[in-house]
Structures are given as C-alpha cells and as structure tokens.
Amino acid sequence: RMWGVLACVCSIGLGWFLTFTVEDRPEIITHPDNEDSIKAIIPTYRVPRVFTSSLLMLIAGSLSVSRLPPNVSFKREEVELEDGFIYVDWYITPQSEELEKENSPIIIALHGITGHAQENYMRDLCKQAALYSFRIVCINARGAGGTKLASAKGFHAGKSDDFRSVVEYVNSKFPQSILFGVGFSLGANVLGKYLGEWGMDCLMQGAVLFSNPCDLHVSSEKMTSTWLHRNLLNARITDNLKKWMQPHRSVFGKIVDFAMIDAATTIREFDEHYILPVFPEFSDVDDYYTKSSSCEYISQVKIPLLVVHSKDDPICPISAISNAVVDEASNITICRTKYGSHVCWLNSLNVYNRSSW
C-alpha cells in the first residue's frame, strides 16, 4: 500500500511538473515612440516547464503536427522565373472567395532550411492569420515540397530574387491588396535581405522575421561549438540537405560532385560542394556567408519590421541580432523571449495538435 501511495504521489508530482507553465515576458527593443503600442499587442509567453529546455522543445517542435481545420486545404500554383519556376501554396478556406472579393491583405511566407510550404509552423501561421481575415500564400523554395527543378539552380540562404518574383506575381494578381511578409529561420534571412535590398520599393507594408540566423558566420560557428551541435543538430540538417538534393541528382549531375556531397558531415561541407559549383558568384564559403547574411541589409529596411527571437535558440544565437539596428531605424522592433528554442514557442505539450505562442 505504501508503494502504491508513493507511486500516486510521484505521478501527481510529475504531472504537475510537466503541465506547470512558466511566464516569459518578452523583452521589447524599439523606438520610444512605438514602445507602448508594441507592448500592447505582444502577449506574455507561457511555456510548459519541461520546454524550458531548448533541446526538448526543438525535438517536440520537429515532431509536432499542426492539424488543419475541416474544409481547409492548400492550392498549389506555379510562378515563372527567369531561369525556371517556383511553386507557391495558397491556404484555402471557405471564406477565401469572399476575402478575395474584399481585397483582404495577403501574407507571403517562406519556410526554413530543408522545409517546405506546408511545414507545421507554416500551418500554424496560416490558421492564426485566417482568423484575422488574412489570405496566406506559402512559398516552396526551389526544389522543396516535392517540386521539380527546371534548371541547376536550387535555393540558398541569400537567394532573394526568387522571393521578389513571388511578391511581384502576387502584387500583379491582386494589385488592390496590401502585402506582408513572414519568414522563418533561413526564410527569415532571405526575407530580411530582400527588404533591405529593395527598401521602399519592396511592395510590402510590413514583415516579421522569426528565428532569423541574420549572420551566417555566427550560426555556422554555433553549429560546431559543442559535441551536441556537431553530432545532432548540424548532422541532422546536413542529412536533410542531402535528402533535399536526392530527387534532383540528374539536374545537378554535371555540376556537383555527389561523392563529396555524400561524404559531407556538416552544413559548411555541404555548402562547399553544393553552393560553390552551382553559384560561382561566391569565391568561397565565407564569401557566400558574408554576402548572404541579412545583417548586412536589415538597417536598410524601410517598412515596419518585427524581429522575433528566443534567447535559448540552439541554432541561431541571439548575439547575431544587434540592438544597434533599432537605434538607427524607428521602423524596426526586436522581440526577445527567454524561451522558445528555434521556430517553436510551443505553449502546449500536445504534439499531436501543435499550439504555438
């Protein structure tokens, strides 16, 4: 009987520990004139205690499923490029037709490295944005999401011209609709670079960057900083990059040395044998990281921009996001949370029905 009581107490205690939440008040860095209005719209993040471990949240986030509501689907569309095409997935709800008639605003979203338009975090965005009468179109980076490549040009961390092509396409199709941008991880880097390159001519009215690597040199160093980073995170992403390339081997066959690709054990090694031969404008990997890092362009962004980052991000260090950009530009706001890991911010333990902050 004593052991039964003890087991019961332990079970209750474990359940309490797992379900108990920790209050995480975001740190807001913005122009003084914007501070009150920004703080009024950004809620406190309540994180399950078990997810105060960034690694556990990252694992749970990667395994989580974001279920679509009934009568909701994605509609794929092809967008022509100068050297091929790219595919976008429109989030279609029973209200989509009416929203189109009303010229409701449109969010153009881009996923992270080795992801695709219907990733769980992209679905989370679609479901939340639809509640506020936004239309959402999610970009598949070249060759992602089961799409084909028309030429031996895939995606890379700074390939903002493809994003520009989608923006121009959506703008021409719905010229009366206001456009916004949302990027996650590598997609955030691409979006940030694009916004800085085009300034007031970016055709957008606002944007949000989630878990932006910002400085690719810093992220690359982070991914080799510990045994765990090298052998779990770095190795996993490298394997996923190889899987992305697998169905496109015939396209890259005459350009890429697949023996070296297969032997790559880090992202940097993969970049050396994929990026450099496919994109000869980069002299070496360091040159690629420098020219593709959005930190070189963020200060040139002219539209309202919200940068959301977690201090415990195990992939993209918070140190890469400088407060200096806020001092230079009143249109930029940085929101830092203590917890959230990388593109997660889970607020529930239910990985079968993902719920994010």
Side-chain angles (χ1 to χ4, degrees):
R1 180 177 298 179
M2 181 185 70
W3 288 110
V5 172
L6 183 61
C8 182
V9 171
C10 289
S11 297
I12 294 173
L14 180 61
W16 174 85
F17 175 79
L18 292 175
T19 58
F20 185 77
T21 59
V22 176
E23 191 174 85
D24 183 357
R25 294 183 180 274
E27 176 189 4
I28 306 297
I29 302 98
T30 189
H31 190 275
D33 293 344
N34 305 330
E35 192 167 353
D36 290 340
S37 58
I38 293 293
K39 287 184 176 180
I41 63 173
I42 296 181
T44 296
Y45 173 38
R46 301 197 68 86
V47 54
R49 181 180 289 275
V50 69
F51 287 154
T52 55
S53 163
S54 62
L55 181 59
L56 287 180
M57 186 183 291
L58 185 64
I59 293 171
S62 65
L63 296 175
S64 63
V65 178
S66 184
R67 301 187 182 280
L68 294 180
N71 303 317
V72 168
S73 62
F74 284 94
K75 179 182 178 182
R76 182 157 290 184
E77 206 167 29
E78 183 179 291
V79 179
E80 288 190 22
L81 306 172
E82 290 184 0
D83 58 348
F85 43 79
I86 197 170
Y87 293 92
V88 299
D89 293 352
W90 288 90
Y91 185 68
I92 306 299
T93 72
Q95 292 75 41
S96 292
E97 187 174 335
E98 186 63 31
L99 292 175
E100 183 174 330
K101 292 178 182 178
E102 296 173 357
N103 293 313
S104 68
I106 300 172
I107 293 174
I108 302 175
L110 182 58
H111 58 81
I113 189 170
T114 72
H116 56 82
Q118 297 181 38
E119 287 286 350
N120 50 20
Y121 52 83
M122 298 284 276
R123 289 186 174 211
D124 275 0
L125 170 67
C126 290
K127 290 187 291 185
Q128 288 299 313
L131 295 176
Y132 297 92
S133 299
F134 283 89
R135 286 177 287 165
I136 311 96
V137 57
C138 303
I139 302 173
N140 289 284
R142 292 200 192 202
T147 63
K148 295 181 179 180
L149 287 175
S151 65
K153 291 287 183 181
F155 73 91
H156 70 66
K159 195 161 179 53
S160 56
D161 52 342
D162 286 357
F163 192 92
R164 174 70 181 186
S165 295
V166 174
V167 172
E168 291 178 339
Y169 169 76
V170 174
N171 185 60
S172 65
K173 189 173 183 178
F174 303 105
Q176 301 303 315
S177 297
I178 296 173
L179 305 184
F180 296 92
V182 175
F184 297 91
S185 192
L186 201 73
N189 187 75
V190 173
L191 174 55
K193 180 173 178 283
Y194 162 74
L195 295 174
E197 288 171 329
W198 288 90
M200 290 302 298
D201 296 322
C202 67
L203 303 178
M204 292 185 156
Q205 299 300 310
V208 183
L209 310 180
F210 290 99
S211 303
N212 180 17
C214 201
D215 187 330
L216 299 179
H217 292 286
V218 175
S219 292
S220 178
E221 291 170 5
K222 179 71 173 180
M223 293 298 282
T224 57
S225 61
T226 68
W227 182 93
L228 189 66
H229 281 86
R230 289 191 301 274
N231 294 280
L232 180 60
L233 302 180
N234 202 330
R236 175 65 182 274
I237 294 174
T238 303
D239 284 344
N240 286 339
L241 286 167
K242 294 177 184 178
K243 290 176 182 176
W244 165 81
M245 181 168 269
Q246 186 63 32
H248 310 302
R249 284 193 172 226
S250 60
V251 179
F252 290 115
K254 295 181 180 180
I255 301 175
V256 172
D257 184 342
F258 279 101
M260 300 304 294
I261 289 288
D262 293 339
T265 59
T266 66
I267 300 169
R268 187 181 181 91
E269 289 177 2
F270 179 90
D271 288 342
E272 181 179 354
H273 300 296
Y274 158 63
I275 294 294
L276 300 187
V278 174
F279 301 99
E281 60 265 34
F282 302 118
S283 59
D284 55 32
V285 175
D286 285 326
D287 184 50
Y288 161 56
Y289 287 169
T290 297
K291 291 179 178 177
S292 299
S293 293
S294 60
C295 62
E296 302 292 326
Y297 301 87
I298 293 293
S299 62
Q300 301 165 43
V301 175
K302 302 302 181 184
I303 63 172
L305 177 66
L306 175 62
V307 180
V308 184
H309 214 93
S310 170
K311 294 178 181 178
D312 70 346
D313 191 318
I315 295 175
C316 302
I318 193 73
S319 59
I321 311 296
S322 172
N323 289 2
V325 295
V326 175
D327 297 332
E328 297 171 9
S330 61
N331 58 299
I332 299 177
T333 294
I334 297 175
C335 172
R336 292 194 181 108
T337 56
K338 184 176 181 179
Y339 306 109
S341 194
H342 185 73
V343 193
C344 288
W345 288 284
L346 302 180
N347 56 20
S348 168
L349 297 178
N350 187 0
V351 296
Y352 297 103
N353 191 14
R354 180 183 171 114
S355 176
S356 301
W357 168 53

PDB file of all heavy atoms in Angstrom, residues 308-342:
ATOM      1  N   VAL A 308      11.507  38.544 -34.195  1.00  0.00           N
ATOM      2  CA  VAL A 308      11.186  37.733 -33.018  1.00  0.00           C
ATOM      3  C   VAL A 308      12.246  36.654 -32.863  1.00  0.00           C
ATOM      4  O   VAL A 308      12.494  35.880 -33.798  1.00  0.00           O
ATOM      5  CB  VAL A 308       9.782  37.094 -33.138  1.00  0.00           C
ATOM      6  CG1 VAL A 308       9.433  36.339 -31.864  1.00  0.00           C
ATOM      7  CG2 VAL A 308       8.734  38.157 -33.428  1.00  0.00           C
ATOM      8  N   HIS A 309      12.849  36.600 -31.671  1.00  0.00           N
ATOM      9  CA  HIS A 309      13.957  35.662 -31.453  1.00  0.00           C
ATOM     10  C   HIS A 309      13.943  35.174 -30.012  1.00  0.00           C
ATOM     11  O   HIS A 309      13.512  35.896 -29.106  1.00  0.00           O
ATOM     12  CB  HIS A 309      15.292  36.351 -31.736  1.00  0.00           C
ATOM     13  CG  HIS A 309      16.333  35.450 -32.313  1.00  0.00           C
ATOM     14  ND1 HIS A 309      16.523  35.317 -33.676  1.00  0.00           N
ATOM     15  CD2 HIS A 309      17.227  34.623 -31.729  1.00  0.00           C
ATOM     16  CE1 HIS A 309      17.521  34.457 -33.885  1.00  0.00           C
ATOM     17  NE2 HIS A 309      17.956  34.028 -32.727  1.00  0.00           N
ATOM     18  N   SER A 310      14.387  33.955 -29.819  1.00  0.00           N
ATOM     19  CA  SER A 310      14.480  33.381 -28.483  1.00  0.00           C
ATOM     20  C   SER A 310      15.928  33.393 -28.006  1.00  0.00           C
ATOM     21  O   SER A 310      16.843  33.078 -28.775  1.00  0.00           O
ATOM     22  CB  SER A 310      13.944  31.941 -28.494  1.00  0.00           C
ATOM     23  OG  SER A 310      14.228  31.302 -27.269  1.00  0.00           O
ATOM     24  N   LYS A 311      16.122  33.739 -26.754  1.00  0.00           N
ATOM     25  CA  LYS A 311      17.477  33.781 -26.205  1.00  0.00           C
ATOM     26  C   LYS A 311      18.098  32.402 -26.079  1.00  0.00           C
ATOM     27  O   LYS A 311      19.319  32.278 -25.975  1.00  0.00           O
ATOM     28  CB  LYS A 311      17.453  34.468 -24.832  1.00  0.00           C
ATOM     29  CG  LYS A 311      17.066  35.937 -24.889  1.00  0.00           C
ATOM     30  CD  LYS A 311      17.021  36.554 -23.493  1.00  0.00           C
ATOM     31  CE  LYS A 311      16.597  38.016 -23.560  1.00  0.00           C
ATOM     32  NZ  LYS A 311      16.505  38.633 -22.212  1.00  0.00           N
ATOM     33  N   ASP A 312      17.250  31.355 -26.064  1.00  0.00           N
ATOM     34  CA  ASP A 312      17.790  29.999 -25.944  1.00  0.00           C
ATOM     35  C   ASP A 312      17.824  29.271 -27.277  1.00  0.00           C
ATOM     36  O   ASP A 312      17.909  28.046 -27.328  1.00  0.00           O
ATOM     37  CB  ASP A 312      16.995  29.187 -24.908  1.00  0.00           C
ATOM     38  CG  ASP A 312      15.583  28.845 -25.368  1.00  0.00           C
ATOM     39  OD1 ASP A 312      15.113  29.439 -26.363  1.00  0.00           O
ATOM     40  OD2 ASP A 312      14.945  27.984 -24.730  1.00  0.00           O
ATOM     41  N   ASP A 313      17.768  30.019 -28.381  1.00  0.00           N
ATOM     42  CA  ASP A 313      17.814  29.408 -29.715  1.00  0.00           C
ATOM     43  C   ASP A 313      19.125  28.627 -29.876  1.00  0.00           C
ATOM     44  O   ASP A 313      20.211  29.220 -29.817  1.00  0.00           O
ATOM     45  CB  ASP A 313      17.712  30.486 -30.797  1.00  0.00           C
ATOM     46  CG  ASP A 313      17.481  29.917 -32.188  1.00  0.00           C
ATOM     47  OD1 ASP A 313      18.104  28.911 -32.538  1.00  0.00           O
ATOM     48  OD2 ASP A 313      16.659  30.498 -32.924  1.00  0.00           O
ATOM     49  N   PRO A 314      19.054  27.299 -30.072  1.00  0.00           N
ATOM     50  CA  PRO A 314      20.279  26.495 -30.149  1.00  0.00           C
ATOM     51  C   PRO A 314      20.940  26.521 -31.524  1.00  0.00           C
ATOM     52  O   PRO A 314      22.030  25.976 -31.698  1.00  0.00           O
ATOM     53  CB  PRO A 314      19.770  25.084 -29.823  1.00  0.00           C
ATOM     54  CG  PRO A 314      18.374  25.077 -30.358  1.00  0.00           C
ATOM     55  CD  PRO A 314      17.844  26.478 -30.139  1.00  0.00           C
ATOM     56  N   ILE A 315      20.297  27.147 -32.501  1.00  0.00           N
ATOM     57  CA  ILE A 315      20.810  27.145 -33.867  1.00  0.00           C
ATOM     58  C   ILE A 315      21.268  28.537 -34.304  1.00  0.00           C
ATOM     59  O   ILE A 315      22.344  28.694 -34.889  1.00  0.00           O
ATOM     60  CB  ILE A 315      19.740  26.599 -34.839  1.00  0.00           C
ATOM     61  CG1 ILE A 315      19.448  25.125 -34.514  1.00  0.00           C
ATOM     62  CG2 ILE A 315      20.190  26.747 -36.290  1.00  0.00           C
ATOM     63  CD1 ILE A 315      18.321  24.518 -35.327  1.00  0.00           C
ATOM     64  N   CYS A 316      20.451  29.538 -34.030  1.00  0.00           N
ATOM     65  CA  CYS A 316      20.767  30.913 -34.416  1.00  0.00           C
ATOM     66  C   CYS A 316      20.958  31.751 -33.160  1.00  0.00           C
ATOM     67  O   CYS A 316      19.972  32.150 -32.525  1.00  0.00           O
ATOM     68  CB  CYS A 316      19.645  31.494 -35.272  1.00  0.00           C
ATOM     69  SG  CYS A 316      19.311  30.539 -36.770  1.00  0.00           S
ATOM     70  N   PRO A 317      22.180  32.021 -32.753  1.00  0.00           N
ATOM     71  CA  PRO A 317      22.447  32.744 -31.499  1.00  0.00           C
ATOM     72  C   PRO A 317      21.816  34.124 -31.460  1.00  0.00           C
ATOM     73  O   PRO A 317      21.780  34.837 -32.467  1.00  0.00           O
ATOM     74  CB  PRO A 317      23.976  32.835 -31.468  1.00  0.00           C
ATOM     75  CG  PRO A 317      24.454  31.763 -32.387  1.00  0.00           C
ATOM     76  CD  PRO A 317      23.409  31.649 -33.458  1.00  0.00           C
ATOM     77  N   ILE A 318      21.327  34.494 -30.311  1.00  0.00           N
ATOM     78  CA  ILE A 318      20.711  35.804 -30.121  1.00  0.00           C
ATOM     79  C   ILE A 318      21.727  36.922 -30.347  1.00  0.00           C
ATOM     80  O   ILE A 318      21.365  38.044 -30.709  1.00  0.00           O
ATOM     81  CB  ILE A 318      20.110  35.900 -28.699  1.00  0.00           C
ATOM     82  CG1 ILE A 318      19.183  37.122 -28.571  1.00  0.00           C
ATOM     83  CG2 ILE A 318      21.202  35.941 -27.640  1.00  0.00           C
ATOM     84  CD1 ILE A 318      17.888  36.985 -29.280  1.00  0.00           C
ATOM     85  N   SER A 319      23.012  36.612 -30.174  1.00  0.00           N
ATOM     86  CA  SER A 319      24.060  37.630 -30.329  1.00  0.00           C
ATOM     87  C   SER A 319      24.145  38.157 -31.754  1.00  0.00           C
ATOM     88  O   SER A 319      24.687  39.240 -31.993  1.00  0.00           O
ATOM     89  CB  SER A 319      25.421  37.035 -29.931  1.00  0.00           C
ATOM     90  OG  SER A 319      25.739  35.910 -30.737  1.00  0.00           O
ATOM     91  N   ALA A 320      23.585  37.408 -32.716  1.00  0.00           N
ATOM     92  CA  ALA A 320      23.634  37.845 -34.112  1.00  0.00           C
ATOM     93  C   ALA A 320      22.650  38.971 -34.383  1.00  0.00           C
ATOM     94  O   ALA A 320      22.738  39.655 -35.401  1.00  0.00           O
ATOM     95  CB  ALA A 320      23.346  36.670 -35.047  1.00  0.00           C
ATOM     96  N   ILE A 321      21.681  39.179 -33.468  1.00  0.00           N
ATOM     97  CA  ILE A 321      20.678  40.228 -33.637  1.00  0.00           C
ATOM     98  C   ILE A 321      21.116  41.434 -32.825  1.00  0.00           C
ATOM     99  O   ILE A 321      21.072  41.428 -31.595  1.00  0.00           O
ATOM    100  CB  ILE A 321      19.288  39.761 -33.167  1.00  0.00           C
ATOM    101  CG1 ILE A 321      18.951  38.398 -33.777  1.00  0.00           C
ATOM    102  CG2 ILE A 321      18.236  40.790 -33.516  1.00  0.00           C
ATOM    103  CD1 ILE A 321      18.840  38.405 -35.279  1.00  0.00           C
ATOM    104  N   SER A 322      21.549  42.484 -33.462  1.00  0.00           N
ATOM    105  CA  SER A 322      22.106  43.650 -32.782  1.00  0.00           C
ATOM    106  C   SER A 322      21.033  44.685 -32.455  1.00  0.00           C
ATOM    107  O   SER A 322      20.168  44.995 -33.276  1.00  0.00           O
ATOM    108  CB  SER A 322      23.178  44.294 -33.660  1.00  0.00           C
ATOM    109  OG  SER A 322      23.611  45.508 -33.116  1.00  0.00           O
ATOM    110  N   ASN A 323      21.107  45.233 -31.232  1.00  0.00           N
ATOM    111  CA  ASN A 323      20.205  46.317 -30.836  1.00  0.00           C
ATOM    112  C   ASN A 323      20.461  47.581 -31.647  1.00  0.00           C
ATOM    113  O   ASN A 323      19.607  48.466 -31.725  1.00  0.00           O
ATOM    114  CB  ASN A 323      20.391  46.647 -29.353  1.00  0.00           C
ATOM    115  CG  ASN A 323      19.846  45.553 -28.456  1.00  0.00           C
ATOM    116  OD1 ASN A 323      19.358  44.535 -28.922  1.00  0.00           O
ATOM    117  ND2 ASN A 323      19.926  45.768 -27.152  1.00  0.00           N
ATOM    118  N   ALA A 324      21.628  47.634 -32.256  1.00  0.00           N
ATOM    119  CA  ALA A 324      22.017  48.856 -32.967  1.00  0.00           C
ATOM    120  C   ALA A 324      21.061  49.190 -34.103  1.00  0.00           C
ATOM    121  O   ALA A 324      20.855  50.361 -34.424  1.00  0.00           O
ATOM    122  CB  ALA A 324      23.433  48.703 -33.516  1.00  0.00           C
ATOM    123  N   VAL A 325      20.459  48.159 -34.718  1.00  0.00           N
ATOM    124  CA  VAL A 325      19.562  48.429 -35.847  1.00  0.00           C
ATOM    125  C   VAL A 325      18.341  49.218 -35.387  1.00  0.00           C
ATOM    126  O   VAL A 325      17.776  50.006 -36.151  1.00  0.00           O
ATOM    127  CB  VAL A 325      19.120  47.117 -36.534  1.00  0.00           C
ATOM    128  CG1 VAL A 325      20.297  46.406 -37.159  1.00  0.00           C
ATOM    129  CG2 VAL A 325      18.385  46.200 -35.582  1.00  0.00           C
ATOM    130  N   VAL A 326      17.924  49.014 -34.131  1.00  0.00           N
ATOM    131  CA  VAL A 326      16.776  49.752 -33.601  1.00  0.00           C
ATOM    132  C   VAL A 326      17.154  51.208 -33.367  1.00  0.00           C
ATOM    133  O   VAL A 326      16.355  52.123 -33.593  1.00  0.00           O
ATOM    134  CB  VAL A 326      16.276  49.111 -32.294  1.00  0.00           C
ATOM    135  CG1 VAL A 326      15.159  49.935 -31.672  1.00  0.00           C
ATOM    136  CG2 VAL A 326      15.783  47.693 -32.565  1.00  0.00           C
ATOM    137  N   ASP A 327      18.381  51.440 -32.919  1.00  0.00           N
ATOM    138  CA  ASP A 327      18.842  52.810 -32.695  1.00  0.00           C
ATOM    139  C   ASP A 327      18.898  53.593 -34.000  1.00  0.00           C
ATOM    140  O   ASP A 327      18.687  54.803 -34.033  1.00  0.00           O
ATOM    141  CB  ASP A 327      20.234  52.798 -32.052  1.00  0.00           C
ATOM    142  CG  ASP A 327      20.226  52.140 -30.679  1.00  0.00           C
ATOM    143  OD1 ASP A 327      19.179  52.191 -30.018  1.00  0.00           O
ATOM    144  OD2 ASP A 327      21.272  51.576 -30.279  1.00  0.00           O
ATOM    145  N   GLU A 328      19.172  52.866 -35.095  1.00  0.00           N
ATOM    146  CA  GLU A 328      19.327  53.519 -36.390  1.00  0.00           C
ATOM    147  C   GLU A 328      17.995  53.678 -37.122  1.00  0.00           C
ATOM    148  O   GLU A 328      17.866  54.545 -37.986  1.00  0.00           O
ATOM    149  CB  GLU A 328      20.286  52.703 -37.264  1.00  0.00           C
ATOM    150  CG  GLU A 328      21.697  52.597 -36.703  1.00  0.00           C
ATOM    151  CD  GLU A 328      22.550  51.604 -37.477  1.00  0.00           C
ATOM    152  OE1 GLU A 328      22.084  51.136 -38.531  1.00  0.00           O
ATOM    153  OE2 GLU A 328      23.668  51.295 -37.023  1.00  0.00           O
ATOM    154  N   ALA A 329      17.012  52.819 -36.811  1.00  0.00           N
ATOM    155  CA  ALA A 329      15.763  52.826 -37.574  1.00  0.00           C
ATOM    156  C   ALA A 329      14.557  52.719 -36.645  1.00  0.00           C
ATOM    157  O   ALA A 329      14.426  51.740 -35.917  1.00  0.00           O
ATOM    158  CB  ALA A 329      15.770  51.680 -38.577  1.00  0.00           C
ATOM    159  N   SER A 330      13.666  53.701 -36.699  1.00  0.00           N
ATOM    160  CA  SER A 330      12.487  53.699 -35.831  1.00  0.00           C
ATOM    161  C   SER A 330      11.431  52.700 -36.285  1.00  0.00           C
ATOM    162  O   SER A 330      10.482  52.421 -35.556  1.00  0.00           O
ATOM    163  CB  SER A 330      11.871  55.104 -35.793  1.00  0.00           C
ATOM    164  OG  SER A 330      11.456  55.500 -37.086  1.00  0.00           O
ATOM    165  N   ASN A 331      11.594  52.135 -37.482  1.00  0.00           N
ATOM    166  CA  ASN A 331      10.606  51.195 -38.021  1.00  0.00           C
ATOM    167  C   ASN A 331      10.872  49.751 -37.603  1.00  0.00           C
ATOM    168  O   ASN A 331      10.071  48.860 -37.902  1.00  0.00           O
ATOM    169  CB  ASN A 331      10.590  51.275 -39.549  1.00  0.00           C
ATOM    170  CG  ASN A 331      11.956  50.971 -40.159  1.00  0.00           C
ATOM    171  OD1 ASN A 331      12.928  51.685 -39.879  1.00  0.00           O
ATOM    172  ND2 ASN A 331      12.047  49.942 -40.964  1.00  0.00           N
ATOM    173  N   ILE A 332      11.978  49.497 -36.901  1.00  0.00           N
ATOM    174  CA  ILE A 332      12.351  48.119 -36.547  1.00  0.00           C
ATOM    175  C   ILE A 332      12.141  47.873 -35.056  1.00  0.00           C
ATOM    176  O   ILE A 332      12.536  48.678 -34.217  1.00  0.00           O
ATOM    177  CB  ILE A 332      13.817  47.835 -36.932  1.00  0.00           C
ATOM    178  CG1 ILE A 332      14.009  47.996 -38.450  1.00  0.00           C
ATOM    179  CG2 ILE A 332      14.226  46.433 -36.491  1.00  0.00           C
ATOM    180  CD1 ILE A 332      15.442  47.814 -38.901  1.00  0.00           C
ATOM    181  N   THR A 333      11.524  46.733 -34.751  1.00  0.00           N
ATOM    182  CA  THR A 333      11.314  46.312 -33.366  1.00  0.00           C
ATOM    183  C   THR A 333      11.870  44.907 -33.185  1.00  0.00           C
ATOM    184  O   THR A 333      11.646  44.025 -34.023  1.00  0.00           O
ATOM    185  CB  THR A 333       9.817  46.305 -33.006  1.00  0.00           C
ATOM    186  OG1 THR A 333       9.327  47.644 -33.046  1.00  0.00           O
ATOM    187  CG2 THR A 333       9.579  45.725 -31.618  1.00  0.00           C
ATOM    188  N   ILE A 334      12.591  44.707 -32.089  1.00  0.00           N
ATOM    189  CA  ILE A 334      13.100  43.375 -31.738  1.00  0.00           C
ATOM    190  C   ILE A 334      12.329  42.863 -30.533  1.00  0.00           C
ATOM    191  O   ILE A 334      12.181  43.571 -29.529  1.00  0.00           O
ATOM    192  CB  ILE A 334      14.605  43.416 -31.419  1.00  0.00           C
ATOM    193  CG1 ILE A 334      15.406  43.857 -32.650  1.00  0.00           C
ATOM    194  CG2 ILE A 334      15.087  42.032 -30.949  1.00  0.00           C
ATOM    195  CD1 ILE A 334      16.890  44.031 -32.382  1.00  0.00           C
ATOM    196  N   CYS A 335      11.824  41.660 -30.632  1.00  0.00           N
ATOM    197  CA  CYS A 335      11.117  40.994 -29.535  1.00  0.00           C
ATOM    198  C   CYS A 335      11.907  39.754 -29.148  1.00  0.00           C
ATOM    199  O   CYS A 335      12.042  38.826 -29.946  1.00  0.00           O
ATOM    200  CB  CYS A 335       9.698  40.624 -29.967  1.00  0.00           C
ATOM    201  SG  CYS A 335       8.820  39.587 -28.771  1.00  0.00           S
ATOM    202  N   ARG A 336      12.444  39.762 -27.924  1.00  0.00           N
ATOM    203  CA  ARG A 336      13.241  38.626 -27.444  1.00  0.00           C
ATOM    204  C   ARG A 336      12.506  37.917 -26.311  1.00  0.00           C
ATOM    205  O   ARG A 336      12.074  38.555 -25.347  1.00  0.00           O
ATOM    206  CB  ARG A 336      14.599  39.102 -26.930  1.00  0.00           C
ATOM    207  CG  ARG A 336      15.540  39.638 -27.989  1.00  0.00           C
ATOM    208  CD  ARG A 336      16.951  39.758 -27.414  1.00  0.00           C
ATOM    209  NE  ARG A 336      17.902  40.281 -28.374  1.00  0.00           N
ATOM    210  CZ  ARG A 336      18.425  41.491 -28.338  1.00  0.00           C
ATOM    211  NH1 ARG A 336      18.067  42.320 -27.369  1.00  0.00           N
ATOM    212  NH2 ARG A 336      19.297  41.885 -29.241  1.00  0.00           N
ATOM    213  N   THR A 337      12.385  36.600 -26.435  1.00  0.00           N
ATOM    214  CA  THR A 337      11.831  35.798 -25.353  1.00  0.00           C
ATOM    215  C   THR A 337      12.962  35.008 -24.703  1.00  0.00           C
ATOM    216  O   THR A 337      13.990  34.755 -25.331  1.00  0.00           O
ATOM    217  CB  THR A 337      10.768  34.814 -25.876  1.00  0.00           C
ATOM    218  OG1 THR A 337      11.348  33.990 -26.906  1.00  0.00           O
ATOM    219  CG2 THR A 337       9.568  35.565 -26.443  1.00  0.00           C
ATOM    220  N   LYS A 338      12.765  34.623 -23.458  1.00  0.00           N
ATOM    221  CA  LYS A 338      13.776  33.824 -22.774  1.00  0.00           C
ATOM    222  C   LYS A 338      13.779  32.400 -23.300  1.00  0.00           C
ATOM    223  O   LYS A 338      14.829  31.764 -23.434  1.00  0.00           O
ATOM    224  CB  LYS A 338      13.508  33.829 -21.261  1.00  0.00           C
ATOM    225  CG  LYS A 338      14.572  33.096 -20.443  1.00  0.00           C
ATOM    226  CD  LYS A 338      14.293  33.212 -18.945  1.00  0.00           C
ATOM    227  CE  LYS A 338      15.380  32.499 -18.129  1.00  0.00           C
ATOM    228  NZ  LYS A 338      15.123  32.617 -16.672  1.00  0.00           N
ATOM    229  N   TYR A 339      12.574  31.905 -23.589  1.00  0.00           N
ATOM    230  CA  TYR A 339      12.414  30.540 -24.092  1.00  0.00           C
ATOM    231  C   TYR A 339      11.763  30.569 -25.470  1.00  0.00           C
ATOM    232  O   TYR A 339      11.251  31.591 -25.899  1.00  0.00           O
ATOM    233  CB  TYR A 339      11.564  29.712 -23.125  1.00  0.00           C
ATOM    234  CG  TYR A 339      12.062  29.720 -21.706  1.00  0.00           C
ATOM    235  CD1 TYR A 339      11.372  30.404 -20.703  1.00  0.00           C
ATOM    236  CD2 TYR A 339      13.243  29.063 -21.352  1.00  0.00           C
ATOM    237  CE1 TYR A 339      11.831  30.421 -19.398  1.00  0.00           C
ATOM    238  CE2 TYR A 339      13.714  29.073 -20.052  1.00  0.00           C
ATOM    239  CZ  TYR A 339      13.005  29.757 -19.068  1.00  0.00           C
ATOM    240  OH  TYR A 339      13.460  29.782 -17.781  1.00  0.00           O
ATOM    241  N   GLY A 340      11.770  29.423 -26.127  1.00  0.00           N
ATOM    242  CA  GLY A 340      11.149  29.339 -27.450  1.00  0.00           C
ATOM    243  C   GLY A 340      11.913  28.472 -28.419  1.00  0.00           C
ATOM    244  O   GLY A 340      11.397  28.067 -29.455  1.00  0.00           O
ATOM    245  N   SER A 341      13.214  28.211 -28.119  1.00  0.00           N
ATOM    246  CA  SER A 341      14.064  27.388 -28.965  1.00  0.00           C
ATOM    247  C   SER A 341      14.136  27.985 -30.372  1.00  0.00           C
ATOM    248  O   SER A 341      14.236  29.197 -30.525  1.00  0.00           O
ATOM    249  CB  SER A 341      13.576  25.934 -28.981  1.00  0.00           C
ATOM    250  OG  SER A 341      14.564  25.079 -29.531  1.00  0.00           O
ATOM    251  N   HIS A 342      14.058  27.158 -31.387  1.00  0.00           N
ATOM    252  CA  HIS A 342      14.205  27.626 -32.768  1.00  0.00           C
ATOM    253  C   HIS A 342      12.916  27.362 -33.544  1.00  0.00           C
ATOM    254  O   HIS A 342      12.543  26.206 -33.756  1.00  0.00           O
ATOM    255  CB  HIS A 342      15.379  26.908 -33.441  1.00  0.00           C
ATOM    256  CG  HIS A 342      15.675  27.406 -34.825  1.00  0.00           C
ATOM    257  ND1 HIS A 342      16.277  28.625 -35.061  1.00  0.00           N
ATOM    258  CD2 HIS A 342      15.433  26.858 -36.040  1.00  0.00           C
ATOM    259  CE1 HIS A 342      16.409  28.798 -36.364  1.00  0.00           C
ATOM    260  NE2 HIS A 342      15.898  27.742 -36.986  1.00  0.00           N
TER     261      HIS A 342
END
